[in-house]
Amino acid sequence: MRHDFYLAWRYLRHHRTRTLILILCLSLIASLPLCLHRVLDAGEYWMTKRAEATPLLIGARGSAVDLTLGALYFAEGEVPAISMREADRVAATGWADPLPVYARFRVRGLPLVGVTLDYFDFRKLNPAQGELPALLGDCVLGADAAERLSLGPGDTLASASGNAFDLAGTYPLKLHVTGVLAKSHAPDDQAVFVDLQTAWVIDGLGHGHAEAQAAASAPDAPFGPATVRRADAGLLTYTEITPENLSSFHFHGDPATYPISAIIALPHDVRSATLLRGRYLDDSAGTAIVRPLEVTRGLLQNIFRVGALFDGILVLVGGAALVLFSLVFALSLRLRQREIETIYLLGCARLTVARLLLAEILLIVLLSGAVCAAVLYASRPFASELARFFILS
Amino acid sequence: MQKLRILFYVYTLLVSLVAASSAWGASAIGEQKLKIVASNYPLAYFAERLAGPRATVTLPAPASVDPAYWQPDAKAVGAMQKADLILLNGADYEKWLAHVALPRLKLIDTSATFRDRYIRIENAVVHSHGPAGQHSHEGIAFTTWIDFDQAAQQAAAVANALIAKRPELKALTLDALQMLQQDLAELDEEIRRITAAKPSLPLMASHPVYQYLARRYSLNLKSVHWEPGEMPPAQEWAELDKTLAGHPAKVMLWESEPDTQVVEKLKAKGIASKVFDPCANRPDTGDFLTVMQQNIKNLKLVFHP
């Protein structure tokens, strides 16, 4: 038996081009569906885990899928904003704790997410380096975001301008990186987090005033009238919030009207969750409540349907490839007729010839299997990334 | 004899084990102490009275600074972030709130229940005193706790927050609240009784911080913007004379003991100086209750000289 494999191996080595093509074809046919399933499994795990951890989500009435993808996975694509009043309403019911999320902006291709500090407690996100944001203008990076941006505590990062051609629009804000979060294997790893109020400054709802101008306009200080000082103070579109100008930053208007993308509602118990959902039954209201797990499951079912279609196609392609493989082998047998005759004339039994051929097939299958396993192993770290890319992009 | 010795060893071992487990239990209870941060002293006092030894109450503003004009740095914010409860006075008292990142679910606005009764201040002036720099009192009057009925409501808000955090301490907290509200009600009743004697007595205040006191106890009070440690400029004295022409006050209320030169100059105008300390920061001696009792004694001298 050992000699059979030796002779088969020598034969395959001699015809290495043909052998390589066969191995590549077989391994490709086998690894494609397996890789696809790995990506789907990673996507299912990744999405379900996140959705399971998020009991209820409140946002603008419309696409529940867009709302869920935007608030939970920070997917690109603008979700209509709701007002902060909605979060106050949820808190006032006493049935749930609201966690507002404002995920409108992106910074160097990464989601810039405005949250309150409670979000970090809820998602169990702790800084691996540095601290969580403390002051206006601070940000904390997800583990992958820090790696991608090559930034750490003490570095700065400029937010993207709302509109480069809008002279009256918002200016980029220089964010101070205070920390890097420990890896959580969730979309939080790819995000840049700021406090909700910093997100509103980026949105142009808060600004600072030039202190030097203000002081000059108060000649009778310390008893100058406040109204004069305020009227003369020049509006400065700060691009950086520093300890010196921090106190001059303020917001105009009612904070209850400020925008947020969604609210993660954490009900205190099942009864509270039911009561809260009952508040959003009115179809004419501007806001809606969704259960992310239901939305995600619906989305995954669609994805799995596409996956099943791919499986069907791959079975057909695989079948065709096997037929071709058999044909190639049959043709090669015909070409090797004289060689087989010689082996027979040398005194070998017909069975020996069959064993030699079987050893060749077995070796090709084994090598293809090894290549397939290597491809699967190599693709493992990218499965989540690919799932995120194909499902969310 | 041998048996007795063995019994003694077993007994000693058991006693040691019990002592060790008790010590461990005590330290575990110690670890479970609630961490409470209060934005001013009255709230810290309420929390201390209500939670007792079950909480560590911190007032992060330094003793030399009026907490209303204090600006926390990143380190102070980091410490606040680690607290279980952050007690806010509300009524625009914490002006730093817009500049810091704090967990909203831990923020307790103790004056939210009487939000509709906030006093709005119009046409305020900018002035400065101490290291806090220039400021104005425009916006909402924030010395809410010197209306002792409002103080009782703020104490109730603190109690509710404590109970929500530690439901097992509900009975203890409610008992403590009842006692605290009783003390506040006594203060309230005492001031009502004192001020009822001369309801229209004209009074001056050195600083516009007594709005809620004036409203609750129907005081005929007008304010200037003077600081206890500073001699006001001539323009301010002229303004005072103008005010006195239509508001013949014989007493000026101060947040703390004023400068003797100012006292003498006021005395020359026939105005006595009396202290009514809002007690926004931790007092050097005594506590909130003793400071307020002293305030009432001072007020009694105004209405019953």
Side-chain angles (χ1 to χ4, degrees):
Chain A
M1 193 68 187
R2 195 157 56 89
H3 302 301
D4 298 341
F5 276 99
Y6 177 75
L7 284 173
W9 173 243
R10 297 304 302 182
Y11 177 82
L12 291 175
R13 274 194 66 178
H14 184 73
H15 299 281
R16 56 184 61 145
T17 312
R18 193 201 69 157
T19 309
L20 265 175
I21 290 169
L22 282 173
I23 288 169
L24 280 176
C25 284
L26 275 179
S27 56
L28 198 68
I29 292 294
S31 58
L32 258 177
L34 292 173
C35 279
L36 181 71
H37 277 274
R38 171 152 280 178
V39 169
L40 287 175
D41 289 347
E44 184 189 8
Y45 172 77
W46 190 72
M47 291 187 77
T48 310
K49 192 179 153 196
R50 183 81 164 173
E52 273 174 351
T54 315
L56 293 169
L57 196 62
I58 297 162
R61 193 168 286 277
S63 167
V65 173
D66 284 352
L67 174 66
T68 308
L69 293 184
L72 264 65
Y73 310 100
F74 315 132
E76 283 188 69
E78 197 151 323
V79 179
I82 57 170
S83 70
M84 193 59 191
R85 181 174 288 116
E86 203 59 40
D88 297 336
R89 256 185 69 189
V90 172
T93 62
W95 296 327
D97 291 330
L99 302 182
V101 176
Y102 193 30
R104 183 189 153 194
F105 302 102
R106 299 194 88 76
V107 54
R108 285 157 73 173
L110 297 168
L112 179 69
V113 187
V115 291
T116 60
L117 266 276
D118 309 295
Y119 182 86
F120 300 105
D121 286 341
F122 166 61
R123 295 276 188 223
K124 296 183 175 61
L125 298 170
N126 293 308
Q129 299 171 47
E131 302 287 338
L132 291 175
L135 303 174
L136 209 62
D138 287 351
C139 73
V140 65
L141 308 176
D144 294 346
E147 199 180 318
R148 193 171 140 187
L149 298 169
S150 305
L151 293 175
D155 293 330
T156 56
L157 170 70
S159 73
S161 178
N163 182 351
F165 301 103
D166 180 10
L167 294 177
T170 54
Y171 284 70
L173 179 71
K174 199 172 178 183
L175 298 167
H176 300 265
V177 181
T178 58
V180 176
L181 298 171
K183 199 160 175 78
S184 62
H185 302 283
D188 302 315
D189 290 341
Q190 282 88 40
V192 175
F193 290 99
V194 292
D195 183 64
L196 203 53
Q197 298 186 124
T198 303
W200 288 333
V201 169
I202 294 168
D203 211 1
L205 294 164
H207 59 246
H209 285 271
E211 194 55 36
Q213 290 168 351
S217 68
D220 297 326
F223 297 100
T227 46
V228 173
R229 171 192 159 93
R230 187 158 306 175
D232 288 359
L235 183 69
L236 189 71
T237 48
Y238 279 114
T239 53
E240 186 176 9
I241 302 172
T242 62
E244 289 75 36
N245 68 23
L246 177 68
S247 60
S248 76
F249 272 81
H250 59 278
F251 296 87
H252 287 283
D254 182 2
T257 62
Y258 293 173
I260 48 174
S261 307
I263 301 160
I264 295 170
L266 309 176
H268 300 146
D269 47 45
V270 179
R271 180 179 165 274
S272 302
T274 312
L275 287 168
L276 189 65
R277 291 181 72 197
R279 282 276 174 109
Y280 291 88
L281 290 176
D282 182 7
D283 287 340
S284 61
T287 47
I289 193 164
V290 296
R291 286 169 72 175
L293 192 58
E294 283 176 6
V295 176
T296 309
R297 276 187 183 147
L299 183 68
L300 286 171
Q301 273 173 4
N302 287 336
I303 292 166
F304 288 139
R305 246 176 252 143
V306 176
L309 182 71
F310 267 108
D311 281 351
I313 293 167
L314 282 170
V315 165
L316 285 176
V317 172
L322 281 176
V323 171
L324 277 172
F325 179 78
S326 309
L327 186 69
V328 167
F329 212 80
L331 286 172
S332 74
L333 278 182
R334 186 163 291 182
L335 286 171
R336 292 168 66 189
Q337 199 57 46
R338 284 182 60 200
E339 179 192 323
I340 292 165
E341 277 296 316
T342 310
I343 295 169
Y344 180 66
L345 289 171
L346 281 170
C348 293
R350 293 267 180 212
L351 188 67
T352 310
V353 176
R355 270 172 32 199
L356 273 173
L357 293 173
L358 198 69
E360 277 176 32
I361 293 169
L362 216 63
L363 278 175
I364 287 170
V365 169
L366 278 174
L367 286 169
S368 302
V371 171
C372 179
V375 168
L376 276 177
Y377 182 78
S379 70
R380 200 170 58 169
F382 305 106
S384 295
E385 284 290 330
L386 286 168
R388 197 162 26 247
F389 179 76
F390 286 116
I391 297 169
L392 298 180
S393 297
Chain B
M1 194 63 193
Q2 185 70 17
K3 276 183 182 174
L4 270 175
R5 190 173 289 172
I6 289 168
L7 268 173
F8 173 75
Y9 286 142
V10 168
Y11 174 76
T12 312
L13 187 69
L14 277 171
V15 166
S16 308
L17 278 171
V18 168
S21 65
S22 305
W24 180 84
S27 70
I29 289 166
E31 280 166 14
Q32 286 171 359
K33 265 189 171 185
L34 272 177
K35 286 184 206 144
I36 301 174
V37 172
S39 69
N40 61 26
Y41 172 64
L43 294 177
Y45 174 76
F46 297 162
E48 282 163 2
R49 285 273 307 258
L50 295 170
R54 297 172 291 280
T56 311
V57 183
T58 316
L59 176 59
S64 58
V65 176
D66 183 348
Y69 301 103
W70 172 66
Q71 275 288 339
D73 56 10
K75 198 178 162 190
V77 176
M80 280 196 266
Q81 286 174 350
K82 291 179 180 74
D84 297 304
L85 286 174
I86 303 165
L87 304 176
L88 304 177
N89 187 71
D92 209 16
Y93 187 83
E94 295 81 10
K95 295 189 173 54
W96 43 265
L97 206 55
H99 307 141
V100 300
L102 289 175
R104 286 174 79 95
L105 297 178
K106 292 177 184 171
L107 299 179
I108 309 298
D109 182 352
T110 57
S111 65
T113 50
F114 53 88
R115 187 174 282 156
D116 55 334
R117 301 201 66 232
Y118 286 161
I119 297 172
R120 188 159 284 282
I121 308 164
E122 308 290 348
N123 305 317
V125 299
V126 170
H127 57 282
S128 71
H129 48 85
Q134 290 190 325
H135 67 263
S136 115
H137 290 269
E138 196 172 58
I140 296 167
F142 51 69
T143 330
T144 51
W145 61 92
I146 51 176
D147 168 342
F148 295 109
D149 181 56
Q150 288 182 174
Q153 291 181 57
Q154 291 187 268
V158 175
N160 289 339
L162 284 170
I163 292 166
K165 209 75 188 168
R166 290 282 163 82
E168 70 273 16
L169 301 175
K170 187 176 178 179
L172 286 170
T173 310
L174 288 177
D175 285 348
L177 176 65
Q178 199 180 3
M179 285 163 72
L180 176 59
Q181 287 187 328
Q182 177 67 36
D183 288 343
L184 293 169
E186 280 171 16
L187 294 175
D188 185 63
E189 188 50 41
E190 184 69 3
I191 300 189
R192 273 176 175 280
R193 201 178 54 74
I194 292 167
T195 55
K198 293 176 185 169
S200 57
L201 182 74
L203 293 171
M204 285 302 298
S206 65
H207 220 78
V209 292
Y210 300 106
Q211 298 91 341
Y212 294 103
L213 183 83
R215 183 177 70 182
R216 174 75 182 167
Y217 307 105
S218 310
L219 303 183
N220 181 14
L221 190 75
K222 287 198 174 180
S223 296
V224 287
H225 291 76
W226 296 4
E227 293 302 327
E230 292 173 14
M231 173 60 82
Q235 190 191 337
E236 288 295 313
W237 286 100
E239 286 292 327
L240 176 67
D241 290 338
K242 269 190 214 171
T243 308
L244 288 173
H247 184 75
K250 297 291 175 206
V251 174
M252 183 178 276
L253 298 180
W254 291 85
E255 292 169 277
S256 62
E257 209 60 60
D259 186 73
T260 48
Q261 283 184 318
V262 180
V263 172
E264 289 305 317
K265 204 167 173 178
L266 280 171
K267 199 185 269 181
K269 289 179 184 291
I271 299 173
S273 296
K274 297 289 174 198
V275 173
F276 192 103
D277 183 0
C279 202
N281 212 328
R282 202 177 283 279
D284 294 334
T285 53
D287 58 22
F288 179 79
L289 207 61
T290 58
V291 170
M292 290 303 149
Q293 281 162 350
Q294 184 56 49
N295 285 340
I296 290 172
K297 275 183 194 166
N298 295 343
L299 213 56
K300 205 171 185 176
L301 293 173
V302 174
F303 284 85
H304 304 281

